Amino acid sequence: MSYGGDGYDDERDRGVPSQTRTRLPEQDGFADRRPAASPGRSVVTIVGIVLILIAAIVFANRPDDSTGSDGGGTDDGNRPGANPTAPSGQQPVEGFTNGIPSGFPQSAEGAESAAANYVVALGGEGMFQQESRRAIVDTVYSPEFAAQEADAIDRVYSDPDFLSRIGLSESGAAPDGSTFVSRVSPVGTRIIDFAPDRATVAVWYSSLFGIAAVDSLNPVTESWYTNTYDLIWVDGDWKVAAFDQVDGPVPVARDQRASTAEEMAEAVEQYGGFTYAR
C-alpha cells in the first residue's frame, strides 16, 4: 500500500431459426389500394417527435435541487445525490502551504476538495525526495498522524531495495537522460460520511508511474485506485488522520499506440497539474 486504483449479430449464432419470406408478384385486383400518406400529416408527425425530444433533453438537464442549496451532491449527508459528479460551483482555494492547496472550506465540498488535492500530493514525485516528503507529510496529515507515521513513511520511500526496483538511485533520482514519472489524476470524489469536524471521503483516480527512457526496464504505466481518507478539522483546515487504498475501478483500455519515452517525458514536463475543487 502506498501512502498516498464481440457479440454475434447473426441470428443463427444465437440459436434463432431462420425464416423464409416469399413475395408474390402483384396482380390486377391484388394491388395495394391503401391511399398514399398525406405529406402534411407526415410533417406534423416529425415536428411532434422533435418537440418531444427537445422536452426530454430540457427535463434531463434541469438543475437538481434535491441535493440541497449547498451543492454537496448528497441528499442526506450519506447517500449520493442524483448528480454526484457534478461540480458544486465553489471556487478553488487561493492559499497554498508548501506548494499544496490549503485553506479548504469547512463543508462537505471542502472535504472532497482537500481529499482530491491531497491524493495528488501524496502520489507525486515529491514523496521520493526526503525534504519535499517531510513538507508533504506535515502539510497533508494531521499533527498526530504525522508524528506517529513520519519515520515509517521515510523508511518506505528511502528503502534502497524499493528505490532500485522502481529504477531510482538511493537518493530518489532518476538515471541520467531519463524522467521519473509519478502523477495522480483524480477522476471523482464521494462523501461517505460528514460532520463539521470530521469527514470520510473516497477519491477515485488514475496514476502514471515509471521511468520514461528509451531503455527503461520500468516504463511508465497506468493504474487505477480508490483511496478513502478519514479527515479531521484541525487549525482551520482539513487534515488526513487515516486512509485506505484499494485497486480500481479499472476501465477497459482502448487499442491505442503507446507513446514513446520521449513523448511521455515531454508531456510530463510541459503539462502542469491542477488545483481541484468540488
Side-chain angles (χ1 to χ4, degrees):
M1 177 184 298
S2 68
Y3 278 84
D6 193 35
Y8 293 96
D9 292 330
D10 194 327
E11 290 183 347
R12 291 171 297 178
D13 293 317
R14 297 198 301 266
V16 179
S18 60
Q19 297 178 351
T20 301
R21 181 175 297 171
T22 303
R23 180 178 178 85
L24 299 176
E26 290 185 354
Q27 299 177 359
D28 292 341
F30 291 93
D32 190 352
R33 291 190 174 90
R34 289 178 298 176
S38 170
R41 186 169 59 187
S42 299
V43 171
V44 171
T45 300
I46 294 173
V47 171
I49 293 174
V50 172
L51 291 176
I52 292 173
L53 290 175
I54 293 175
I57 293 172
V58 171
F59 179 81
N61 289 278
R62 77 190 194 285
D64 181 11
D65 294 332
S66 64
T67 60
S69 60
D70 63 352
T74 60
D75 51 16
D76 61 3
N78 296 311
R79 193 157 45 89
N83 296 305
T85 59
S88 69
Q90 291 193 0
Q91 295 299 314
V93 295
E94 297 180 356
F96 289 83
T97 302
N98 295 321
I100 301 171
S102 61
F104 298 95
Q106 191 176 6
S107 63
E109 295 88 348
E112 290 182 87
S113 300
N117 286 280
Y118 291 166
V119 77
V120 172
L122 293 169
E125 292 94 342
M127 289 295 291
F128 295 84
Q129 301 291 330
Q130 184 174 5
E131 183 176 353
S132 56
R133 178 170 60 249
R134 283 295 181 126
I136 293 171
V137 169
D138 291 340
T139 302
V140 169
Y141 290 118
S142 67
E144 293 79 7
F145 187 95
Q148 295 173 3
E149 301 295 334
D151 290 341
I153 294 173
D154 274 338
R155 286 195 298 270
V156 170
Y157 282 92
S158 61
D159 179 68
D161 291 337
F162 166 68
L163 294 172
S164 176
R165 287 198 303 272
I166 63 177
L168 300 179
S169 67
E170 292 187 5
S171 63
D176 292 340
S178 65
T179 301
F180 174 52
V181 180
S182 182
R183 179 175 293 196
V184 163
S185 299
V187 176
T189 59
R190 180 172 68 93
I191 282 284
I192 297 175
D193 192 18
F194 178 78
D197 60 346
R198 60 177 178 78
T200 302
V201 182
V203 184
W204 179 35
Y205 64 94
S206 64
S207 173
L208 299 178
F209 189 86
I211 304 292
V214 175
D215 56 351
S216 175
L217 299 178
N218 301 282
V220 179
T221 58
E222 180 186 34
S223 302
W224 291 82
Y225 302 97
T226 296
N227 281 15
T228 300
Y229 293 105
D230 290 334
L231 304 174
I232 59 175
W233 187 256
V234 179
D235 296 331
D237 210 351
W238 292 107
K239 300 292 183 179
V240 176
F243 78 97
D244 185 37
Q245 182 187 76
V246 296
D247 290 349
V250 182
V252 176
R254 292 181 60 87
D255 185 15
Q256 293 181 288
R257 178 188 67 85
S259 298
T260 64
E262 182 179 1
E263 291 171 334
M264 183 62 66
E266 289 180 352
V268 171
E269 294 169 357
Q270 294 174 359
Y271 293 90
F274 298 94
T275 297
Y276 292 87
R278 183 68 175 92

